[in-house]
Amino acid sequence: MSARSPRGLEPADEARLVEAARAVRGHAHAPYSRYQVGAALLTRVGHVYAGCNVENATYGATLCAERSAVAAMVAAGDREPIACAVVTAGPRPGAPCGICRQVLIEFTREARKFKVVMVAEDSRGKITAKKTGWLAELLPSAFRLER
Ligand code: THU
């Protein structure tokens, strides 16, 4: 299995990534918004790291699913994500927030080739909508610390 191929993200890898995001979404701690989010990252070596949103009574301390997944990846010693799946409730797929886009960029050398798969599912877990994009499109002119 090669996570990265000339054609981009293999369909089997994309399916595995979406499945991991769907599964972790059920663990979300979202008592305030009631909006559960699951995210999963696929890294160059083929590992998948999942994360969900973790809300807080102060609201501002809330952690998004994408950043939870990044924390899991970094904690495991992996640093090279090549794709991210985000699963939310429908009707339309949710896109990573601006802070998460910036955090994903931090670990991405080629944001033009970093695929973001956004999936909506209904209350029964049936996928109702999907869209894909590239991280570079989602966050053009990203800040990078260069000195
Ligand atoms: N949320 C995420 O987990 N990821 C995003 O990119 C956008 C928003 C969460 C944060 C909060 O728990 C809930 O969705 C509603 O904003």
Side-chain angles (χ1 to χ4, degrees):
M1 193 278 307
S2 82
R4 173 158 266 183
S5 79
R7 287 181 291 122
L9 188 63
E10 297 281 358
D13 283 327
E14 182 176 314
R16 192 158 68 99
L17 198 56
V18 169
E19 199 40 54
R22 292 176 73 189
V24 75
R25 182 172 172 248
H27 296 158
H29 176 65
Y32 306 105
S33 72
R34 305 240 170 247
Y35 186 76
Q36 295 182 301
V37 185
L41 294 169
L42 175 69
T43 62
R44 192 178 297 278
V45 290
H47 291 154
V48 169
Y49 300 94
C52 55
N53 52 333
V54 182
E55 296 187 346
N56 185 265
T58 65
Y59 288 34
T62 290
L63 186 60
C64 289
E66 296 88 333
R67 278 177 285 146
S68 298
V70 168
M73 174 191 74
V74 172
D78 205 340
R79 288 283 193 279
E80 292 189 78
I82 60 168
C84 179
V86 183
V87 178
T88 61
R92 281 176 299 283
C97 78
I99 294 174
C100 290
R101 295 176 195 198
Q102 181 67 40
V103 169
L104 289 169
I105 284 268
E106 175 85 11
F107 296 96
T108 308
R109 237 177 270 142
E110 288 186 290
R112 284 179 303 119
K113 294 183 183 170
F114 186 107
K115 196 168 186 182
V116 181
V117 183
M118 295 155 275
V119 169
E121 63 179 8
D122 66 17
S123 56
R124 293 179 178 164
K126 184 175 171 290
I127 292 179
T128 53
K130 179 185 127 173
K131 66 180 182 186
T132 60
W134 302 101
L135 188 53
E137 293 170 355
L138 292 173
L139 189 62
S141 307
F143 173 76
R144 290 192 188 264
L145 188 58
E146 284 162 4
R147 39 181 184 182

